[in-house]
């Protein structure tokens, strides 16, 4: 879940009351999602752990002083197959990444399938094969599961919910609250690939494009970083729904720090930028599924970049911003032409059903 | 997940190959569900833990020598509100019960909502209120979650996937493999209430009936039993999809024991029996959501019944059968009129979308 926006900071927060009916945009990971969570869910289910709204919740002590981490995500991506991946690969990688960015090593996955009647068996098999391959790459097993079949009112669809349990070693304490002035913001490669690959597959299936989803399990890369850099890494998160914009705006808000992104340093593949322009999308707000944004102490920045670049999933690693001395909780973009604008969490939904 | 049926025992197992398209009946918890799991899922995702197909998987050691338990279930019940409960209450109780029957004490729940566009906010709030109340009764908190919104092709619906993490104290070792000759089979009350309440609400909404779902969290009752009876309890499970028939047929198959159910001892409320007859259903195969079937050593049977009857959720507790000396892996029903028939796992789906 993403952060709620009970207090309006800067220009963030919609300040709107919830409409009478749930809209697609409530699932977009933007301000409307926050309104749904903050206005409807947390007042009923909130507690000390849930209210933290982290990618993975920490539940109690593990035996050796570490903590258990639990996460869950439903995957409803449409179409279920897209260039570079499919819903099966997404279901594994999304959950493994949610654990990994909290410093947790995955212990096991729980998998629940909701399949509409009439879904082709060969398609299900393709999805399961892909899921199995992704689990193998991430080094994690599916330990339990459930299968439900529902009637269909239109096309055959599949929804996959994955929960993950992990262990966070005692010494790891990643949190947006640890972000401080001087921290450097890094990313492991170019942005926007996943969301645009899905969007093109859905909206323009006739267009041939080199854009491919980046969906990948990042636990190997992240483990490498944390083993070598320890608490020099203050915080990290994967920029999924809402993209880098949502991530950095939220990190600024939660830490109370002033975060600066430098547009010309943010890597974007030309074909992705082209696709974004064609679809009228801001690539900063587009979802990724194989990227991680890290806030690291300045002394560790060069080592972190070198480590990432030596890993297959971090070869395009870049420094994309920094944290300044201000304490206004705002994220600012310094544009290519020298302008400055406030980065807000997207309002509604740019890319429905991209994860 | 339910057991696969790679080897056909007695008359069980459909022995059919999977059809080209997924059918509603593949989600019914019967032999077709087993075929889907055994023929499609396990060959791709199977491992030592998943292959056990327990209600909750055990993943590694906990600090004090206990084990962690993980479970997941998607809830797609239609209609989402039915006499005695709703999908929110079901989502909590189903998961808490899956942990409890494995001897686990719940640590936290992860909750993922898939909501169709247009779903009414007041309905969502009602579901969340109910979910919150059920979680309070079970003494467990929702620690993390996710929300997705999908387009709708017909009526507004909601699907709730709940994962649960629990801790199994070191000394607890419940397993169908511990079932032995002489064991007595107990249940905490009358059967069929949940499935028939849902089925009547869907098929005959105009009919007024006293049938109400029994949906309840059983962790309190189960904890009471395990604390007092220890390893005198060999195995327990909640008879959900496929009902008592699926549970006992599977327990017989997995233990290799011969299980006898005595029809006249199995408690069924008259209104439930009437509804089952009206709908042409075998109440033994109907789902329950507030019942647990226990296999206990004969020396503990009376104490177990007394303990259950002293608990609000066990007042209708009964002894319903026993395990004999035979080792054919078959479950047999001794009927009211003195007949004997083999109880098989239901084939397909009696009650679509009852959980």
């Amino acid at each position: 879940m993403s952060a709620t926006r009970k207090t309006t900071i800067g220009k963030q927060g919609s300040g709107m009351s919830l409409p009478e009916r749930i809209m697609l945009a409530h699932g977009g990971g933007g301000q409307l999602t926050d309104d749904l969570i903050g206005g409807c869910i947390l007042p009923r289910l909130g507690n000390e752990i849930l209210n933290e709204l982290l990618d993975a919740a920490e539940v109690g002590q593990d035996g050796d002083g570490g903590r258990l981490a639990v996460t869950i995500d439903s995957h409803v991506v449409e179409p279920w197959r897209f260039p570079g991946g499919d819903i099966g690969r997404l279901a594994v990688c999304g959950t493994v990444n949610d654990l990994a960015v909290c410093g947790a090593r995955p212990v096991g996955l729980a998998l629940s399938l909701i399949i509409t009647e009439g879904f082709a068996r060969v398609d299900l098999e393709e999805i399961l094969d892909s899921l199995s391959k992704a689990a193998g790459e991430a080094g994690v097993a599916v330990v339990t599961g459930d299968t439900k079949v529902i009637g269909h009112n239109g096309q055959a669809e599949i929804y996959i919910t994955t929960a993950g349990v992990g262990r966070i070693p005692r010494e790891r304490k990643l949190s947006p609250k640890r972000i401080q002035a001087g921290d450097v913001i890094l990313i492991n490669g170019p942005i926007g690939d996943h969301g645009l690959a899905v969007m093109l597959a859905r909206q323009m299936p006739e267009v041939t494009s080199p854009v491919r989803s980046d969906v990948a399990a990042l636990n190997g890369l992240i483990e490498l970083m944390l083993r070598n850099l320890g608490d020099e890494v203050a915080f990290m998160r994967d920029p999924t729904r809402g993209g880098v914009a949502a991530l950095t705006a939220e990190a600024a808000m939660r830490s109370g720090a002033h975060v600066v992104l430098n547009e010309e340093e943010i890597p974007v593949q030309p074909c992705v930028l082209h696709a974004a322009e064609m679809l009228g999308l801001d690539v900063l707000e587009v979802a990724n599924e194989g990227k991680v944004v890290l806030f690291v102490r300045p002394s560790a920045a060069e080592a972190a970049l070198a480590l990432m670049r030596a890993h297959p999933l971090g070869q395009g690693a870049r420094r994309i911003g920094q944290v300044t001395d201000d304490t206004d909780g705002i994220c600012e973009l310094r544009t290519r032409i020298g302008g400055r604008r406030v980065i807000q969490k997207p309002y509604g939904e740019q890319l429905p059903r991209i994860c």
Side-chain angles (χ1 to χ4, degrees), chain A:
Chain A
M1 284 182 180
S2 308
T4 174
R5 192 75 80 240
K6 299 287 273 187
T7 48
T8 304
I9 294 173
K11 287 193 169 187
Q12 298 174 341
S14 69
M16 279 178 59
S17 61
L18 280 172
E20 290 304 301
R21 295 200 174 270
I22 303 302
M23 304 184 298
L24 267 184
H26 281 112
Q31 295 173 25
L32 281 176
T33 302
D34 291 354
D35 288 346
L36 179 65
I37 293 168
C40 197
I41 296 176
L42 288 186
R44 291 174 173 82
L45 303 179
N47 55 63
E48 209 171 45
I49 303 174
L50 182 64
N51 295 353
E52 287 288 315
L53 296 169
L54 297 176
D55 280 5
E58 296 188 10
V59 284
Q61 292 284 309
D62 194 2
D64 54 0
R67 288 99 70 205
L68 281 175
V70 185
T71 187
I72 194 164
D73 259 308
S74 285
H75 302 274
V76 297
V77 62
E78 198 266 318
W80 63 260
R81 189 204 289 120
F82 44 82
D86 59 40
I87 193 170
R89 184 171 177 81
L90 198 56
V92 168
C93 297
T95 296
V96 167
N97 292 349
D98 278 348
L99 290 174
V101 296
C102 295
R105 296 173 185 149
V107 169
L109 300 180
L111 186 75
S112 198
L113 309 174
I114 299 175
I115 309 170
T116 59
E117 196 183 7
F119 198 81
R121 180 168 57 94
V122 291
D123 290 343
L124 178 61
E125 289 172 351
E126 179 182 331
I127 290 166
L128 292 170
D129 281 333
S130 168
L131 202 151
S132 170
K133 183 165 173 284
E137 288 170 22
V140 60
V142 174
V143 295
T144 189
D146 183 41
T147 309
K148 292 290 189 319
V149 182
I150 58 175
H152 76 112
N153 298 307
Q155 62 198 114
E157 303 217 34
I158 187 168
Y159 314 125
I160 304 184
T161 302
T162 324
V165 178
R167 285 203 167 93
I168 307 175
R170 183 173 41 184
E171 67 279 8
R172 293 187 182 169
K173 290 177 183 69
L174 296 157
S175 162
K177 289 167 191 146
R178 290 190 60 234
I179 293 172
Q180 62 190 41
D183 282 352
V184 173
I185 306 169
L186 309 176
I187 194 164
N188 63 317
I191 66 170
D193 305 47
H194 172 72
L196 283 160
V198 172
M199 203 61 167
L200 285 173
R202 185 179 331 142
Q203 305 289 62
M204 302 180 173
E206 71 288 358
V207 170
T208 306
S209 161
V211 178
R212 289 172 62 82
S213 168
D214 60 345
V215 55
L218 297 169
N219 56 323
L221 174 70
I222 288 171
E223 189 64 27
L224 185 73
M225 307 293 286
L226 291 176
R227 273 182 200 243
N228 283 281
L229 303 174
D231 61 7
E232 299 281 288
V233 182
F235 174 65
M236 65 171 85
R237 192 170 249 193
D238 49 336
T240 55
R241 281 187 291 185
V244 170
L247 187 154
T248 49
E250 195 165 318
M253 198 245 332
R254 286 186 172 222
S255 64
H258 184 90
V259 170
V260 175
L261 290 180
N262 303 307
E263 189 178 26
E264 70 179 356
E265 291 176 341
I266 299 171
V268 190
Q269 296 196 71
C271 62
V272 170
L273 198 58
H274 178 71
E277 285 168 356
M278 196 164 62
L279 291 162
L281 300 174
D282 181 349
V283 73
L284 263 189
E285 299 187 355
V286 172
N288 311 274
E289 292 289 350
K291 294 297 172 302
V292 56
V293 172
L294 303 100
F295 290 72
V296 304
R297 303 295 180 235
S299 54
E302 283 312 312
L305 280 172
L307 277 170
M308 283 202 279
R309 287 174 182 156
H311 189 280
L313 295 173
Q315 291 176 359
R318 293 285 291 269
R319 171 185 167 138
I320 60 170
Q322 62 281 341
V323 179
T324 72
D325 291 336
D326 288 333
T327 54
D328 55 11
I330 282 178
C331 176
E332 168 197 338
L333 182 75
R334 300 219 172 134
T335 67
R336 263 190 201 80
I337 54 167
R340 301 167 66 169
R341 71 172 168 93
V342 171
I343 295 288
Q344 296 181 48
K345 202 159 179 181
Y347 174 67
E349 175 162 47
Q350 231 194 356
L351 297 174
R353 301 182 59 178
I354 36 71
C355 59

